[in-house]
Amino acid sequence: MGPPVFNTGETEQLGLAGSIPVRLRQAPSPMEPFVHDPRRRIPRTDELLALPEVRAAAGAVGERVVADLVRAVQDRARRGELDPDAVADEVRAVVGDARPGSLRPVLNATGVLVHTNLGRAPLSAAAREAVATAAGYVDLELDLASGARSRRGAGMRAALLRACPAAEDALVVNNAAAALVLATTALAGASPAPGRPAGGREVVLSRGEFIEIGAGFRLSDLIASTGARLREIGTTNRTHPADYREAIGEETGCVLKVHPSNYRVDGFTAEVGVPELAAMCRDAGVPLVVDLGSGLLAPDAALPDEPDAATALRDGADVVVFSGDKLLGGPQAGVLLGRAELIATIARHPLARAVRADKLALAALEATVAAGESPVRTALHADAAALRARTERLAARVDTAIAAAHRSTAPVAQRAEPVEAHPIPSTGSGAAQSTEPVEVRPNPAHQSTEPVEARPDPSTGSGVSTGAGASASSATQALPPLRVVAHDGRVGGGGGVGVPLPGWALALPEAAAARLRLGDPAVLPRVHEGRCLVDLRCIPPADDERLAAAIAAALDGLGPALAADGTAAP
């Protein structure tokens, strides 16, 4: 019987006589930790890039973007933040959400039509299709019949002249500020001619029309940058015809009249209208440039005090300037319309090349003007009664979504009916539209006889059923009832100052606003007086279901953080 051998991880070697067992310790392999390192299970980059979902994403957003996303997931696994076996699934999820750029689509629930922080006017379907077409090679400056070079943006120019017959010619640059700078530079900017005063000719402007546009840019600074000399006349609240007559002279390059689109002066005021001012300029042989700001091509009954291009030109303006991405409803652009010889003079100035519009803007603007309709125009003329009905349906959808999330067998929305408040009588004949809030409450006639759990209504202390046999969470129980309230929309972007656009909104707890902004889809509501207001005016009806799901997700789980009045608990 040989010597005992124990399982010690050592290797036994017998001596020559075989009488003394010798055990030699086997040194561990230096590769052993590497062999058992879980990071070795992380899939290789080429294997992940070969996944069908990844290849499809690479075609949509680009191979470099997808490769960066894949490496980021692998790095998470190397740091121990992700199980190596889950890398492939995580890559599929990440590339599925990939976008070619950093901009995120947002549902505009503020009720503000032209929201600068959201990119101003959303493009119409026709404009989007035109942009997609123009993204490739197009006949931007080419006559296909002759093969010769043609005028840039000829189709856009033709569309503008058809939409505004009072204009003899049109020019489009990259924004309205550039259009104003270009016009004043060409008509009154610094001139190298001998004997001219330093700083160019004068631009006559009323002190009541000095404005500051977004980000602190002042009109006076823009004009001064052209080399022209600014001639201020009148006062902040009153400017008279005599002020213009005294200022216009040999050194006048042009007279500028600016619509104060982002503010309004009321009370003891006086100004000179375009017809009277145009007559004075015509007699003096001086061009009149009118900055309309928000960009109506023709009068609109919804905005009776908003100036428009057709009226200004008929009243005698030589050149009008306005934005393309405000009430016109198109892309960012600066539009100049007016007398043919003046538009030609402006277009020939060297600065025109530096501020010209690109092919995508020209295509979108042409499509917008030719169609005559846009999302901004649709929102401007939205019917208040239709908005109220949509908002009440939205409230019901939200309750349905919340109930479904908690596996309710009979969602609230199946039994909820809007309770109409008594109309508020007007001071004249008839009754005014009610502005009282509407609560979505259960209809007892539709209630199940099965036991239900109540959702407390803080205003009455009574319970609101969440469904037969439902097991509503404490979060859902703590939410106040959904309320539909009167809410006035606004034009925004400096247009229609002080003009309310009657409508309705769904009132939610203020704490829901941040969750809506960070949700998917992102929703921007209005926060006002401690409430989160969701206005449907600027949201296409096709997005109502997505919006309801986003609101339900934002509200779900919010209840414990709320006080009894629906605001965030301290």
Side-chain angles (χ1 to χ4, degrees):
M1 181 176 179
V5 178
F6 300 96
N7 186 15
T8 61
E10 300 172 341
T11 302
E12 178 185 290
Q13 298 290 339
L14 296 179
L16 293 177
S19 58
I20 304 175
V22 179
R23 292 176 173 82
L24 303 177
R25 183 177 298 274
Q26 183 178 7
S29 170
M31 298 297 293
E32 185 173 352
F34 178 74
V35 171
H36 297 288
D37 191 335
R39 290 175 296 184
R40 288 178 55 82
R41 304 202 315 273
I42 298 174
R44 292 183 350 211
T45 302
D46 58 344
E47 294 176 352
L48 294 172
L49 291 175
L51 294 173
E53 298 88 348
V54 177
R55 291 201 307 269
V61 303
E63 293 182 359
R64 179 179 298 179
V65 173
V66 168
D68 289 343
L69 293 174
V70 167
R71 282 192 287 269
V73 174
Q74 290 174 318
D75 288 342
R76 288 172 53 197
R78 292 186 183 103
R79 294 192 298 266
E81 300 172 2
L82 183 68
D83 190 304
D85 295 332
V87 166
D89 289 339
E90 181 67 12
V91 165
R92 292 187 182 94
V94 169
V95 300
D97 295 333
R99 291 184 293 269
S102 61
L103 297 178
R104 285 189 62 190
V106 178
L107 295 181
N108 178 11
T110 63
V112 178
L113 279 60
V114 182
H115 201 301
T116 299
N117 301 134
L118 295 179
R120 293 188 175 172
L123 295 181
S124 65
R128 296 183 188 199
E129 183 177 351
V131 168
T133 299
Y137 291 119
V138 291
D139 54 342
L140 179 64
E141 298 180 14
L142 176 67
D143 180 3
L144 291 174
S146 65
R149 184 171 183 171
S150 64
R151 182 172 179 175
R152 182 183 181 91
M156 171 277 306
R157 173 180 173 273
L160 281 170
L161 297 183
R162 284 194 301 268
C164 186
E168 297 177 3
D169 204 353
L171 177 65
V172 174
V173 295
N174 56 20
N175 61 46
L180 182 59
V181 167
L182 177 60
T184 53
T185 300
L187 300 177
S191 171
R196 297 298 313 164
R201 308 180 75 181
E202 292 179 344
V203 175
V204 178
L205 177 65
S206 167
R207 291 187 177 92
E209 296 171 2
F210 272 54
I211 63 171
E212 179 179 300
I213 60 178
F217 291 100
R218 294 181 174 176
L219 184 67
S220 55
D221 295 336
L222 288 175
I223 296 173
S225 71
T226 70
R229 291 176 291 148
L230 193 60
R231 178 70 179 271
E232 305 175 20
I233 64 170
T235 63
T236 302
N237 61 321
R238 293 177 70 82
T239 300
H240 305 282
D243 296 317
Y244 285 99
R245 281 193 292 267
E246 292 173 4
I248 295 174
E250 294 183 357
E251 294 302 318
T252 304
C254 67
V255 173
L256 177 61
K257 183 168 182 60
V258 179
H259 173 57
S261 56
N262 54 3
Y263 70 96
R264 185 173 61 187
V265 179
D266 293 323
F268 187 60
T269 63
E271 68 170 320
V272 182
V274 172
E276 186 175 3
L277 189 54
M280 281 189 285
C281 291
R282 192 163 47 248
D283 292 343
V286 172
L288 172 60
V289 178
V290 178
D291 185 347
L292 301 175
S294 57
L296 279 181
L297 283 178
D300 193 309
L303 302 170
D305 297 327
E306 194 72 17
D308 65 276
T311 301
L313 291 171
R314 284 195 299 266
D315 287 345
D318 296 301
V319 177
V320 296
V321 176
F322 55 88
S323 296
D325 57 352
K326 294 184 180 179
L327 285 172
L328 186 58
Q332 176 179 299
V335 182
L336 299 96
L337 301 176
R339 287 169 45 198
E341 65 271 21
L342 287 178
I343 295 295
T345 297
I346 295 170
R348 284 194 300 267
H349 194 280
L351 184 61
R353 178 59 182 263
V355 297
R356 73 179 185 179
D358 76 307
K359 64 178 182 177
L360 302 183
L362 294 176
L365 186 62
E366 179 185 348
T368 300
V369 174
E373 292 294 331
S374 68
V376 166
R377 183 173 176 81
T378 299
L380 176 64
H381 295 278
D383 179 70
L387 288 173
R388 179 175 187 169
R390 276 185 66 196
T391 309
E392 290 172 356
R393 290 194 297 271
L394 175 67
R397 285 189 176 111
V398 171
D399 256 333
T400 299
I402 293 176
H406 294 282
R407 300 180 180 179
S408 173
T409 58
V412 172
Q414 294 179 359
R415 304 183 310 282
E417 292 184 353
V419 178
E420 299 287 343
H422 294 292
I424 300 176
S426 67
T427 54
S429 59
Q433 177 183 331
S434 168
T435 58
E436 292 292 322
V438 177
E439 294 187 5
V440 178
R441 297 180 182 276
N443 179 1
H446 298 169
Q447 289 184 0
S448 168
T449 56
E450 297 181 26
V452 297
E453 293 195 11
R455 172 175 159 185
D457 180 351
S459 63
T460 62
S462 61
V464 177
S465 171
T466 59
S471 179
S473 70
S474 60
T476 305
Q477 291 176 340
L479 291 174
L482 301 176
R483 296 163 65 86
V484 177
V485 299
H487 182 249
D488 289 339
R490 289 291 187 271
V491 172
V497 176
V499 178
L501 304 176
W504 297 83
L506 183 63
L508 306 173
E510 182 179 4
R515 296 171 67 94
L516 285 172
R517 293 194 303 270
L518 298 175
D520 186 15
V523 180
L524 181 65
R526 181 190 182 199
V527 177
H528 182 63
E529 295 182 347
R531 294 185 298 181
C532 170
L533 301 175
V534 176
D535 190 317
L536 298 181
R537 178 179 295 276
C538 303
I539 296 179
D543 285 325
D544 284 1
E545 289 288 353
R546 295 173 63 226
L547 177 61
I551 295 173
L555 293 179
D556 190 28
L558 195 61
L562 299 180
D565 61 356
T567 60

